[in-house]
Structure formats: structure tokens, C-alpha cells
Amino acid sequence: VLAAPAAAQAHVGVSPDAIAPEGSAVLAFSFTHGCENSPTTALRITMPDGLTSVSPTIDAAWDVAVERADNGLVSAVTYTATTPIPHDLRGEVTMAVRLGEDTPETLAFPVEQQCETGVNEWVEIAEEGEAPHDLDSPAPVVTVGDAADVASETHGTHASETEAAAPAADPAPAIGIALGSAGLLAGVVALVIAIRAARRSAR
């Protein structure tokens, strides 16, 4: 029972998980586990169709090997750890990508996680109506366009709701200040009149 949630949480994630059409981003693929208790030695990430360029990040913690398709575009990138990543520590690799005109709405990046003992293949893609979290070995997925637009619209909606929810300024304090000022002015005028009347009486 306790092992089930742990297994469900074990996967390779990607951030950000949304990119604007024909945009670019630096994608970070991260993991917090090995193969059972075995340290991670390498990640091989397969590129989906729709990318016009892929530039893996040079990092002292990883050696990088690039595979190219017949058209010259990057088809896969393998990051080999200079020191195996223990199963209970977080690891991360990054790459810059650019999208083309015909990029599909979703980009799946199948990942082969190689360990000192064993291999995890994160290659499953959710079907329509299926939740990615229900998959045993989900591939990291980036949404193109829609998710970015939804996030922007949601942010705008939240801002509008916050403004609408903010209570209107209470007019009572302003009225009180105005009445107080008028009263003070009347008092000063009355005092001046009283002083003048006293002076006339003294004469």
C-alpha cells in the first residue's frame, strides 16, 4: 500500500510544460529517483517531430552525446552522469529547443533512464480522456499554444476576480473628516467673533 504512491510519483518531469507556437524555451528534465535503489547513470531523451533546433546544455555533471537524423536535426540526446546520481537525490539536465510552424499541439519526449542496475523507460503517452498521472511510465510532455494561452487567460481572470472581490472604499471616513474639518473651522470663527466682542465691551 505504501509503495503504490511512491511508484506513482516516480517519473521524469519537464519544465516548463507549455510553449507558445513557434516559440523557444530551455527545457529542464528532472528526476528524484533511480531504478529501484540503483543510482542513475544516464538519460537518453528522444526528440519529437516539430522541433527546428535542439541545443543541449553543457554541464560539468553530465557528458553529452547528440544523435542526428538524416535531415541533420537532433533526434536524441544522451546525458551520461560523470558521477552516478544516488536514487534518493535529484538530478536534472537541460536543453534549448525551438518550435517550427508545423509543430503539433503536444510534444512527447520519451526518456530512457539508465542505472547501474536496471533501466526505466518513460515512454507512455496518455490517450484522449486519460490522465497522465494514471500511467505507469509517462513520458514528459510539453503542450504547445493551448496550455500557454490558458495559463495567460487564467492569470487575467484571477486578477479580475481579485479586483472585483476587493471591497469598495468606505465613504464614512471621508465624510467624518469633512464634518470634523467644518466643525473645527466653525469653532475658530466663533472664537474670533468672541474675542472681538470682548474687546469692544472692554472699550
Side-chain angles (χ1 to χ4, degrees):
V1 173
L2 294 177
Q9 295 174 1
H11 65 282
V12 174
V14 61
S15 177
D17 58 4
I19 306 177
E22 298 185 56
S24 60
V26 175
L27 301 180
F29 296 85
S30 61
F31 58 93
T32 56
H33 56 85
C35 307
E36 298 295 339
N37 295 327
S38 181
T40 297
T41 58
L43 292 181
R44 183 179 184 275
I45 304 174
T46 300
M47 301 300 112
D49 293 333
L51 303 181
T52 59
S53 69
V54 176
S55 301
T57 303
I58 297 299
D59 189 328
W62 302 89
D63 292 327
V64 180
V66 175
E67 301 173 38
R68 295 184 181 275
D70 293 339
N71 58 8
L73 295 177
V74 176
S75 58
V77 180
T78 299
Y79 297 84
T80 302
T82 55
T83 300
I85 311 299
H87 75 280
D88 55 350
L89 296 183
R90 181 179 181 276
E92 180 180 276
V93 299
T94 62
M95 66 177 69
V97 301
R98 181 175 294 279
L99 312 186
E101 295 181 358
D102 301 325
T103 303
E105 294 182 355
T106 57
L107 298 172
F109 293 80
V111 177
E112 181 183 87
Q113 180 183 13
Q114 304 170 12
C115 302
E116 289 184 343
T117 302
V119 173
N120 287 330
E121 294 187 349
W122 308 101
V123 297
E124 294 182 341
I125 301 172
E127 300 291 341
E128 185 175 353
E130 185 179 18
H133 296 294
D134 293 337
L135 302 176
D136 293 329
S137 303
V141 173
V142 173
T143 302
V144 177
D146 292 343
D149 294 341
V150 168
S152 176
E153 292 172 2
T154 302
H155 177 74
T157 301
H158 287 170
S160 300
E161 292 174 349
T162 301
E163 293 174 0
D170 188 354
I175 294 175
I177 293 173
L179 293 177
S181 299
L184 179 60
L185 179 60
V188 171
V189 172
L191 179 60
V192 172
I193 293 174
I195 292 174
R196 289 181 176 179
R199 287 178 178 177
R200 291 175 182 173
S201 298
R203 292 176 183 175

